[in-house]
Amino acid sequence: MKNKYYFYKNPFFKVYARIENNRVKMETSGIASSIMGSFVSDMMAIFEDTKPCKVEPGQLIYSIWMPPIPSKAFDRLVSSQMSAMRGKYVPEQITISITEECPNRCLHCALPDTKNKARLSSDVVRSIIDQTLDLGTTLIIFDGGEPLLYDGLEDLISYVDKSRAIAGLFTSGVGMTPQRASRMKDAGLSMLSVSFDSSNEVGHDFMRGRSGVFNDAVNAIKNGLNAGLLVGIYVVLSPRNIDELDDFYELATKLGVHELSFYEIVPTGRWQGHEKEILSAEDLKKFDDFVERTSHAEGPRVFPIPQIIRKMGCFAGRKWLHVTPEGDVLPCACMPKPYGNIHNEALATIWKKIYKDPVFNSGPCLMRDSEFRKVHLGLEK
C-alpha cells in the first residue's frame, strides 16, 4: 500500500512503517494486533521516530546495514529475529577478511601482524558465502586488510544471492576509482562503508600510518555516491577522536553520505596494550548527547552501535560472525578466539560451537572486560 513499508505481514497481523517529516512511525494492524503487538514492541521501539537513510517509491532504506524494506532479504532478517526470540541464533552479519594485504598500518588494526599476506581463495570465499546464506545471513561484508586490493572482488560481490542477502564492503578507500565504483555498482554492491579515524587529514593519516589515505577515503566516497551506491562513513571511537563528533557529522553532511556509523574501540590487535585508551563514562555521555543532538538534524542518519550494544547486548556469538584471511572463524572481528577453521570444518558446525558457548550471554562487549581477556584470551598477565 502507498506510503506503507511492511516489516511483516500475514492475514491476521501486520507491522509496517509510515514516513512523516522524514521520521519513521511504526504501526500494527490486523485482528491479532492486540495480542501480537506486545511481542514486537521492543523491535518497533528501535525504529519509532528515527531518521531513515533513504526513502524511495515503494522502498524504504532504513540503514545501509539492513536489506531494503520490503524485500526477500529483509523477510529473511525478520525471520532470523523471530528465531532469536525462540533461542535459535542466526549469524545475521558476516565479515569476510578476504586478504591481509593493505598499504596502511592503522594503529588500531584488529588483524595480527602475521606478515605472511594471507588471503582466501575465491573458491573458499564462495563456499563461505554459500554456507552462511544457508545459515540465514542477510548482510555479507567483504573486509581486509584492504579488500579493494583483492583481484576478483567484483566477481565475489556478484556471487552473493541478492534475494537472500545484501553485499557490503569495508574499505579505507584505496583504489576506489570512478571506474571501480561503477563496476561495484554493476556487481550489486549495496553498502560501501569508508572508515575514518579523524575528521581532518593530519589526524586521519597519522592513525592510518600513511600520508594521503584521508584523500583516498574522501575520493572513494565521492566516487561511490556518483556511481549510485549507498555510502556510509564508519568511525571507530576512542579518547583520541571523541571530541571530533560534530566535526565527523559536518564532514559526513558535506560529503552527502547516507549514514554515519560509530563503533567503540576495544583493546585488541595493535591496540592491545592500550587498555586505558578506551571510552570512559564521560566519553560515552558526550556520545549520547551527540546522538540526541543530531537525531533531528538535516544531515545523514547516525547509527550509534555503542548505544545499540548497551541496550541489546553484544552481538558477538549471537548475530555476528567473522572469518580471517587464514580461515579462522571468530565471534566478531575484534575477538581473537577461533572456534574452528573454514578449511577444516563446515561453517554450521563452527557456528553451533560459538552460540552454544555460555560465555556469550547477550551482555556487554567481552573484549572490554579485562578478566575475560586474561582468562579466555591470555592477552593480559
Side-chain angles (χ1 to χ4, degrees):
M1 189 177 294
K2 188 177 180 181
N3 298 324
K4 288 185 179 181
Y5 303 91
Y6 285 96
F7 283 52
Y8 176 81
K9 61 179 178 178
N10 65 35
F12 310 104
F13 179 61
K14 299 177 179 65
V15 180
Y16 60 91
R18 291 184 299 102
I19 306 299
E20 292 183 1
N21 299 318
N22 202 33
R23 312 292 291 183
V24 174
K25 302 297 179 182
M26 298 297 299
E27 296 183 5
T28 63
S29 64
I31 59 175
S33 184
S34 60
I35 299 173
M36 295 296 297
S38 60
F39 288 97
V40 297
S41 59
D42 288 344
M43 180 272 288
M44 292 175 63
I46 293 173
F47 296 95
E48 178 65 27
D49 200 35
T50 59
K51 182 194 305 182
C53 271
K54 187 178 182 181
V55 180
E56 299 178 335
Q59 194 170 70
L60 171 65
I61 310 293
Y62 181 73
S63 169
I64 66 173
W65 299 81
M66 187 180 294
I69 306 167
S71 67
K72 291 181 179 179
F74 184 77
D75 290 345
R76 278 166 52 89
L77 178 60
V78 172
S79 177
S80 72
Q81 296 291 320
M82 298 178 84
S83 293
M85 292 170 129
R86 301 191 299 269
K88 186 179 185 306
Y89 295 100
V90 171
E92 297 169 6
Q93 173 185 311
I94 184 171
T95 49
I96 309 173
S97 285
I98 54 180
T99 180
E100 282 185 357
E101 187 177 2
C102 185
N104 310 311
R105 188 170 175 80
C106 304
L107 294 181
H108 55 49
C109 180
L111 272 179
D113 293 316
T114 59
K115 299 183 176 65
N116 61 5
K117 304 302 181 189
R119 69 192 298 276
L120 295 168
S121 72
S122 58
D123 286 343
V124 169
V125 177
R126 287 187 177 91
S127 175
I128 294 170
I129 293 170
D130 288 338
Q131 292 182 64
T132 193
L133 286 175
D134 288 344
L135 285 172
T137 298
T138 51
L139 173 56
I140 296 174
I141 301 175
F142 299 99
D143 194 5
E146 175 48 68
L148 285 170
L149 299 180
Y150 188 98
D151 291 335
L153 175 58
E154 288 88 342
D155 292 336
L156 296 178
I157 293 170
S158 295
Y159 188 76
V160 176
D161 183 347
K162 308 308 187 298
S163 70
R164 303 171 75 189
I166 58 174
L169 180 68
F170 279 169
T171 176
S172 66
V174 178
M176 183 60 86
T177 62
Q179 297 78 15
R180 195 82 189 275
S182 180
R183 295 202 300 270
M184 295 288 172
K185 175 67 174 177
D186 292 341
L189 184 69
S190 177
M191 177 258 266
L192 173 65
S193 184
V194 183
S195 54
F196 281 80
D197 293 313
S198 175
S199 58
N200 65 78
E201 182 176 355
V202 173
H204 181 70
D205 286 0
F206 173 78
M207 286 293 292
R208 294 275 150 166
R210 183 177 68 84
S211 62
V213 68
F214 180 87
N215 290 328
D216 287 339
V218 169
N219 289 331
I221 286 173
K222 292 178 179 178
N223 293 334
L225 290 170
N226 288 337
L229 293 168
L230 291 172
V231 182
I233 285 178
Y234 186 85
V235 177
V236 176
L237 281 177
S238 74
R240 300 189 184 195
N241 61 15
I242 190 65
D243 291 322
E244 296 184 51
L245 290 168
D246 290 310
D247 296 323
F248 280 122
Y249 196 78
E250 182 179 349
L251 175 66
T253 303
K254 179 181 177 181
L255 291 174
V257 301
H258 298 94
E259 193 161 22
L260 173 60
S261 300
F262 292 94
Y263 188 72
E264 187 178 347
I265 201 164
V266 297
T268 190
R270 293 190 189 130
W271 207 248
Q272 185 183 336
H274 291 259
E275 285 77 11
K276 294 182 179 179
E277 285 200 66
I278 58 176
L279 298 185
S280 65
E282 181 183 353
D283 292 332
L284 291 172
K285 178 64 166 57
K286 289 181 182 179
F287 181 64
D288 291 344
D289 291 344
F290 163 78
V291 173
E292 175 63 27
R293 189 167 62 251
T294 55
S295 63
H296 287 80
E298 292 297 320
R301 163 181 155 78
V302 171
F303 183 40
I305 300 173
Q307 285 188 350
I308 300 295
I309 289 177
R310 272 184 276 158
K311 182 176 182 178
M312 301 180 65
C314 184
F315 296 152
R318 290 292 181 267
K319 298 176 182 291
W320 288 346
L321 200 58
H322 180 77
V323 181
T324 73
E326 293 82 8
D328 288 333
V329 181
L330 315 178
C332 82
C334 295
M335 185 180 291
K337 183 177 173 62
Y339 282 77
N341 189 286
I342 199 66
H343 297 297
N344 306 319
E345 292 181 87
L347 194 59
T349 301
I350 302 172
W351 172 247
K352 186 175 182 179
K353 286 191 288 185
I354 291 176
Y355 78 73
K356 285 190 173 293
D357 189 336
V359 74
F360 301 110
N361 58 6
S362 298
C365 172
L366 292 171
M367 288 301 294
R368 296 186 181 92
D369 183 338
S370 60
E371 187 66 17
F372 174 84
R373 296 196 303 269
K374 178 181 179 180
V375 173
H376 291 270
L377 304 177
L379 294 180
E380 298 179 17
K381 304 300 182 184

Short mmCIF file of all heavy atoms in Angstrom, two decimals, residues 248-291:
data_model
loop_
_atom_site.label_atom_id
_atom_site.label_comp_id
_atom_site.label_asym_id
_atom_site.label_seq_id
_atom_site.Cartn_x
_atom_site.Cartn_y
_atom_site.Cartn_z
N PHE A 248 32.94 15.14 12.62
CA PHE A 248 32.60 13.99 11.79
C PHE A 248 31.25 14.19 11.13
O PHE A 248 31.07 13.88 9.94
CB PHE A 248 32.57 12.71 12.63
CG PHE A 248 33.92 12.11 12.92
CD1 PHE A 248 34.35 11.91 14.23
CD2 PHE A 248 34.76 11.73 11.88
CE1 PHE A 248 35.60 11.35 14.49
CE2 PHE A 248 36.00 11.17 12.14
CZ PHE A 248 36.43 10.98 13.44
N TYR A 249 30.30 14.71 11.90
CA TYR A 249 28.96 14.92 11.33
C TYR A 249 28.99 15.98 10.24
O TYR A 249 28.33 15.83 9.19
CB TYR A 249 27.98 15.33 12.43
CG TYR A 249 26.54 15.17 12.01
CD1 TYR A 249 25.94 13.92 12.00
CD2 TYR A 249 25.78 16.26 11.61
CE1 TYR A 249 24.62 13.75 11.59
CE2 TYR A 249 24.46 16.11 11.20
CZ TYR A 249 23.89 14.85 11.20
OH TYR A 249 22.60 14.69 10.78
N GLU A 250 29.76 17.02 10.46
CA GLU A 250 29.89 18.07 9.44
C GLU A 250 30.52 17.50 8.16
O GLU A 250 30.07 17.81 7.04
CB GLU A 250 30.74 19.22 9.98
CG GLU A 250 30.90 20.38 9.00
CD GLU A 250 31.73 21.52 9.57
OE1 GLU A 250 32.01 21.51 10.79
OE2 GLU A 250 32.11 22.43 8.79
N LEU A 251 31.55 16.65 8.32
CA LEU A 251 32.19 16.04 7.16
C LEU A 251 31.21 15.13 6.42
O LEU A 251 31.12 15.17 5.18
CB LEU A 251 33.41 15.23 7.62
CG LEU A 251 34.14 14.42 6.53
CD1 LEU A 251 34.78 15.36 5.51
CD2 LEU A 251 35.21 13.51 7.16
N ALA A 252 30.47 14.31 7.17
CA ALA A 252 29.51 13.40 6.55
C ALA A 252 28.42 14.16 5.82
O ALA A 252 27.99 13.76 4.73
CB ALA A 252 28.90 12.49 7.62
N THR A 253 27.98 15.25 6.40
CA THR A 253 26.95 16.08 5.77
C THR A 253 27.48 16.73 4.51
O THR A 253 26.82 16.76 3.47
CB THR A 253 26.44 17.15 6.76
OG1 THR A 253 25.95 16.52 7.94
CG2 THR A 253 25.34 17.99 6.13
N LYS A 254 28.68 17.26 4.59
CA LYS A 254 29.30 17.93 3.43
C LYS A 254 29.48 16.96 2.27
O LYS A 254 29.23 17.32 1.10
CB LYS A 254 30.65 18.52 3.85
CG LYS A 254 31.41 19.21 2.72
CD LYS A 254 32.75 19.73 3.21
CE LYS A 254 33.55 20.35 2.06
NZ LYS A 254 34.87 20.85 2.54
N LEU A 255 29.90 15.73 2.56
CA LEU A 255 30.13 14.75 1.51
C LEU A 255 28.83 14.14 1.00
O LEU A 255 28.80 13.58 -0.11
CB LEU A 255 31.07 13.65 2.01
CG LEU A 255 32.52 14.08 2.27
CD1 LEU A 255 33.31 12.94 2.90
CD2 LEU A 255 33.19 14.54 0.97
N GLY A 256 27.77 14.21 1.80
CA GLY A 256 26.47 13.71 1.36
C GLY A 256 26.27 12.22 1.52
O GLY A 256 25.49 11.61 0.77
N VAL A 257 26.95 11.61 2.52
CA VAL A 257 26.78 10.17 2.73
C VAL A 257 25.40 9.88 3.30
O VAL A 257 24.72 10.76 3.82
CB VAL A 257 27.87 9.59 3.66
CG1 VAL A 257 29.26 9.84 3.09
CG2 VAL A 257 27.76 10.19 5.06
N HIS A 258 24.99 8.62 3.19
CA HIS A 258 23.67 8.23 3.66
C HIS A 258 23.63 7.94 5.15
O HIS A 258 22.56 8.05 5.78
CB HIS A 258 23.20 6.98 2.90
CG HIS A 258 23.06 7.20 1.43
ND1 HIS A 258 24.06 6.90 0.53
CD2 HIS A 258 22.05 7.72 0.70
CE1 HIS A 258 23.67 7.20 -0.69
NE2 HIS A 258 22.46 7.69 -0.63
N GLU A 259 24.78 7.54 5.72
CA GLU A 259 24.78 7.14 7.13
C GLU A 259 26.17 7.36 7.72
O GLU A 259 27.19 7.22 7.04
CB GLU A 259 24.37 5.68 7.26
CG GLU A 259 24.02 5.24 8.67
CD GLU A 259 23.20 3.96 8.68
OE1 GLU A 259 23.24 3.20 7.69
OE2 GLU A 259 22.49 3.72 9.66
N LEU A 260 26.18 7.71 9.00
CA LEU A 260 27.41 7.88 9.76
C LEU A 260 27.36 6.91 10.93
O LEU A 260 26.54 7.06 11.84
CB LEU A 260 27.53 9.33 10.26
CG LEU A 260 28.69 9.67 11.20
CD1 LEU A 260 30.04 9.39 10.56
CD2 LEU A 260 28.60 11.14 11.63
N SER A 261 28.22 5.89 10.90
CA SER A 261 28.20 4.83 11.91
C SER A 261 29.38 4.97 12.86
O SER A 261 30.49 5.31 12.44
CB SER A 261 28.25 3.45 11.24
OG SER A 261 27.16 3.26 10.38
N PHE A 262 29.13 4.68 14.12
CA PHE A 262 30.17 4.75 15.14
C PHE A 262 30.29 3.41 15.86
O PHE A 262 29.28 2.78 16.21
CB PHE A 262 29.87 5.83 16.18
CG PHE A 262 29.95 7.23 15.65
CD1 PHE A 262 28.82 7.88 15.18
CD2 PHE A 262 31.16 7.91 15.62
CE1 PHE A 262 28.88 9.17 14.70
CE2 PHE A 262 31.24 9.20 15.13
CZ PHE A 262 30.10 9.84 14.67
N TYR A 263 31.54 2.99 16.07
CA TYR A 263 31.83 1.79 16.85
C TYR A 263 32.79 2.20 17.97
O TYR A 263 33.53 3.17 17.83
CB TYR A 263 32.45 0.70 15.96
CG TYR A 263 32.59 -0.63 16.64
CD1 TYR A 263 31.48 -1.41 16.91
CD2 TYR A 263 33.85 -1.12 17.00
CE1 TYR A 263 31.61 -2.65 17.53
CE2 TYR A 263 33.98 -2.35 17.62
CZ TYR A 263 32.86 -3.11 17.88
OH TYR A 263 32.99 -4.33 18.51
N GLU A 264 32.79 1.44 19.03
CA GLU A 264 33.62 1.77 20.20
C GLU A 264 34.89 0.92 20.20
O GLU A 264 34.82 -0.30 20.08
CB GLU A 264 32.80 1.51 21.47
CG GLU A 264 33.47 1.96 22.75
CD GLU A 264 32.56 1.72 23.95
OE1 GLU A 264 31.36 1.45 23.77
OE2 GLU A 264 33.08 1.79 25.09
N ILE A 265 36.04 1.55 20.31
CA ILE A 265 37.32 0.85 20.22
C ILE A 265 37.48 -0.17 21.36
O ILE A 265 36.96 0.03 22.47
CB ILE A 265 38.48 1.85 20.22
CG1 ILE A 265 39.74 1.22 19.62
CG2 ILE A 265 38.75 2.40 21.62
CD1 ILE A 265 40.80 2.22 19.23
N VAL A 266 38.16 -1.27 21.05
CA VAL A 266 38.45 -2.29 22.06
C VAL A 266 39.95 -2.59 22.02
O VAL A 266 40.60 -2.44 20.98
CB VAL A 266 37.65 -3.58 21.81
CG1 VAL A 266 36.16 -3.32 21.92
CG2 VAL A 266 37.97 -4.19 20.46
N PRO A 267 40.53 -3.04 23.13
CA PRO A 267 41.97 -3.34 23.17
C PRO A 267 42.28 -4.69 22.54
O PRO A 267 42.38 -5.71 23.22
CB PRO A 267 42.29 -3.31 24.67
CG PRO A 267 41.01 -3.68 25.34
CD PRO A 267 39.91 -3.13 24.46
N THR A 268 42.39 -4.70 21.24
CA THR A 268 42.69 -5.93 20.51
C THR A 268 43.62 -5.61 19.36
O THR A 268 43.79 -4.44 19.00
CB THR A 268 41.40 -6.57 19.99
OG1 THR A 268 41.68 -7.88 19.47
CG2 THR A 268 40.77 -5.74 18.89
N GLY A 269 44.25 -6.64 18.78
CA GLY A 269 45.17 -6.39 17.67
C GLY A 269 46.28 -5.44 18.06
O GLY A 269 46.91 -5.60 19.12
N ARG A 270 46.52 -4.44 17.23
CA ARG A 270 47.58 -3.47 17.52
C ARG A 270 47.20 -2.52 18.66
O ARG A 270 48.06 -1.78 19.15
CB ARG A 270 47.92 -2.67 16.26
CG ARG A 270 48.57 -3.50 15.17
CD ARG A 270 49.12 -2.64 14.05
NE ARG A 270 49.54 -3.49 12.94
CZ ARG A 270 49.20 -3.31 11.68
NH1 ARG A 270 48.42 -2.28 11.36
NH2 ARG A 270 49.63 -4.12 10.73
N TRP A 271 45.94 -2.53 19.05
CA TRP A 271 45.51 -1.68 20.18
C TRP A 271 45.69 -2.40 21.51
O TRP A 271 45.43 -1.84 22.56
CB TRP A 271 44.06 -1.25 20.00
CG TRP A 271 43.72 0.05 20.65
CD1 TRP A 271 42.90 0.25 21.72
CD2 TRP A 271 44.17 1.36 20.28
NE1 TRP A 271 42.81 1.58 22.04
CE2 TRP A 271 43.59 2.30 21.17
CE3 TRP A 271 45.03 1.84 19.29
CZ2 TRP A 271 43.82 3.66 21.08
CZ3 TRP A 271 45.26 3.21 19.20
CH2 TRP A 271 44.66 4.09 20.08
N GLN A 272 46.14 -3.65 21.46
CA GLN A 272 46.44 -4.36 22.70
C GLN A 272 47.57 -3.63 23.42
O GLN A 272 48.56 -3.22 22.82
CB GLN A 272 46.88 -5.79 22.39
CG GLN A 272 47.11 -6.65 23.61
CD GLN A 272 47.60 -8.03 23.24
OE1 GLN A 272 47.38 -8.50 22.13
NE2 GLN A 272 48.28 -8.68 24.16
N GLY A 273 47.41 -3.45 24.71
CA GLY A 273 48.36 -2.65 25.47
C GLY A 273 47.86 -1.23 25.67
O GLY A 273 48.45 -0.46 26.44
N HIS A 274 46.76 -0.89 24.97
CA HIS A 274 46.16 0.44 25.13
C HIS A 274 44.87 0.32 25.95
O HIS A 274 43.89 1.02 25.67
CB HIS A 274 45.85 1.05 23.76
CG HIS A 274 47.05 1.42 22.96
ND1 HIS A 274 47.51 2.72 22.86
CD2 HIS A 274 47.90 0.66 22.23
CE1 HIS A 274 48.59 2.74 22.08
NE2 HIS A 274 48.85 1.51 21.69
N GLU A 275 44.86 -0.56 26.95
CA GLU A 275 43.66 -0.81 27.72
C GLU A 275 43.08 0.45 28.36
O GLU A 275 41.88 0.54 28.59
CB GLU A 275 43.94 -1.85 28.82
CG GLU A 275 44.06 -3.29 28.31
CD GLU A 275 45.39 -3.57 27.64
OE1 GLU A 275 46.31 -2.73 27.75
OE2 GLU A 275 45.52 -4.64 27.00
N LYS A 276 43.95 1.43 28.64
CA LYS A 276 43.47 2.66 29.25
C LYS A 276 42.88 3.62 28.21
O LYS A 276 42.23 4.60 28.58
CB LYS A 276 44.61 3.34 30.01
CG LYS A 276 45.10 2.55 31.21
CD LYS A 276 46.20 3.28 31.97
CE LYS A 276 46.66 2.48 33.18
NZ LYS A 276 47.75 3.18 33.92
N GLU A 277 43.12 3.33 26.93
CA GLU A 277 42.60 4.21 25.88
C GLU A 277 41.31 3.66 25.29
O GLU A 277 41.18 3.45 24.10
CB GLU A 277 43.65 4.41 24.78
CG GLU A 277 44.78 5.34 25.19
CD GLU A 277 45.52 5.90 23.98
OE1 GLU A 277 44.91 6.67 23.21
OE2 GLU A 277 46.69 5.57 23.82
N ILE A 278 40.36 3.39 26.18
CA ILE A 278 39.01 3.06 25.75
C ILE A 278 38.09 4.15 26.31
O ILE A 278 38.50 4.97 27.14
CB ILE A 278 38.59 1.67 26.25
CG1 ILE A 278 38.67 1.57 27.77
CG2 ILE A 278 39.44 0.60 25.60
CD1 ILE A 278 38.16 0.25 28.31
N LEU A 279 36.86 4.18 25.85
CA LEU A 279 35.97 5.28 26.21
C LEU A 279 35.57 5.21 27.69
O LEU A 279 35.21 4.16 28.19
CB LEU A 279 34.72 5.25 25.34
CG LEU A 279 34.93 5.43 23.83
CD1 LEU A 279 33.59 5.49 23.12
CD2 LEU A 279 35.75 6.68 23.53
N SER A 280 35.62 6.37 28.33
CA SER A 280 35.21 6.48 29.72
C SER A 280 33.72 6.78 29.79
O SER A 280 33.05 7.02 28.78
CB SER A 280 35.99 7.63 30.38
OG SER A 280 35.64 8.88 29.78
N ALA A 281 33.18 6.78 31.00
CA ALA A 281 31.77 7.12 31.19
C ALA A 281 31.50 8.54 30.69
O ALA A 281 30.45 8.82 30.11
CB ALA A 281 31.40 6.98 32.66
N GLU A 282 32.46 9.43 30.91
CA GLU A 282 32.31 10.81 30.43
C GLU A 282 32.29 10.86 28.91
O GLU A 282 31.51 11.60 28.30
CB GLU A 282 33.46 11.68 30.97
CG GLU A 282 33.38 13.13 30.54
CD GLU A 282 34.56 13.95 31.04
OE1 GLU A 282 35.38 13.42 31.82
OE2 GLU A 282 34.66 15.13 30.64
N ASP A 283 33.16 10.05 28.27
CA ASP A 283 33.18 9.99 26.81
C ASP A 283 31.85 9.48 26.27
O ASP A 283 31.32 10.00 25.28
CB ASP A 283 34.31 9.07 26.33
CG ASP A 283 35.69 9.62 26.61
OD1 ASP A 283 35.83 10.86 26.67
OD2 ASP A 283 36.62 8.80 26.76
N LEU A 284 31.31 8.43 26.89
CA LEU A 284 30.04 7.87 26.44
C LEU A 284 28.90 8.87 26.61
O LEU A 284 27.97 8.91 25.80
CB LEU A 284 29.74 6.58 27.19
CG LEU A 284 30.66 5.41 26.87
CD1 LEU A 284 30.39 4.24 27.80
CD2 LEU A 284 30.47 4.96 25.41
N LYS A 285 28.97 9.70 27.64
CA LYS A 285 27.97 10.75 27.83
C LYS A 285 28.07 11.77 26.69
O LYS A 285 27.04 12.23 26.17
CB LYS A 285 28.18 11.43 29.18
CG LYS A 285 27.23 12.59 29.47
CD LYS A 285 25.79 12.12 29.55
CE LYS A 285 24.88 13.18 30.17
NZ LYS A 285 24.90 14.47 29.47
N LYS A 286 29.28 12.12 26.29
CA LYS A 286 29.45 13.02 25.15
C LYS A 286 28.81 12.42 23.90
O LYS A 286 28.16 13.13 23.12
CB LYS A 286 30.94 13.26 24.89
CG LYS A 286 31.66 14.11 25.91
CD LYS A 286 33.13 14.27 25.50
CE LYS A 286 33.91 15.08 26.53
NZ LYS A 286 35.33 15.22 26.15
N PHE A 287 29.02 11.12 23.72
CA PHE A 287 28.47 10.46 22.54
C PHE A 287 26.94 10.45 22.59
O PHE A 287 26.27 10.72 21.59
CB PHE A 287 29.02 9.03 22.45
CG PHE A 287 28.51 8.28 21.25
CD1 PHE A 287 28.82 8.70 19.96
CD2 PHE A 287 27.72 7.15 21.40
CE1 PHE A 287 28.36 8.00 18.85
CE2 PHE A 287 27.26 6.45 20.30
CZ PHE A 287 27.59 6.88 19.03
N ASP A 288 26.37 10.12 23.75
CA ASP A 288 24.91 10.10 23.88
C ASP A 288 24.32 11.48 23.59
O ASP A 288 23.29 11.60 22.92
CB ASP A 288 24.52 9.66 25.29
CG ASP A 288 24.82 8.19 25.55
OD1 ASP A 288 25.06 7.45 24.57
OD2 ASP A 288 24.83 7.79 26.73
N ASP A 289 24.96 12.51 24.09
CA ASP A 289 24.49 13.88 23.83
C ASP A 289 24.55 14.20 22.34
O ASP A 289 23.66 14.85 21.79
CB ASP A 289 25.31 14.89 24.63
CG ASP A 289 25.08 14.81 26.12
OD1 ASP A 289 24.08 14.19 26.54
OD2 ASP A 289 25.91 15.34 26.88
N PHE A 290 25.62 13.75 21.70
CA PHE A 290 25.78 13.98 20.27
C PHE A 290 24.68 13.28 19.48
O PHE A 290 24.09 13.87 18.56
CB PHE A 290 27.15 13.49 19.82
CG PHE A 290 27.29 13.29 18.34
CD1 PHE A 290 27.48 14.36 17.49
CD2 PHE A 290 27.23 12.01 17.79
CE1 PHE A 290 27.60 14.18 16.12
CE2 PHE A 290 27.35 11.81 16.42
CZ PHE A 290 27.53 12.90 15.58
N VAL A 291 24.39 12.05 19.82
CA VAL A 291 23.35 11.29 19.11
C VAL A 291 22.00 11.98 19.25
O VAL A 291 21.25 12.12 18.28
CB VAL A 291 23.27 9.84 19.63
CG1 VAL A 291 22.09 9.10 19.02
CG2 VAL A 291 24.57 9.11 19.32
#
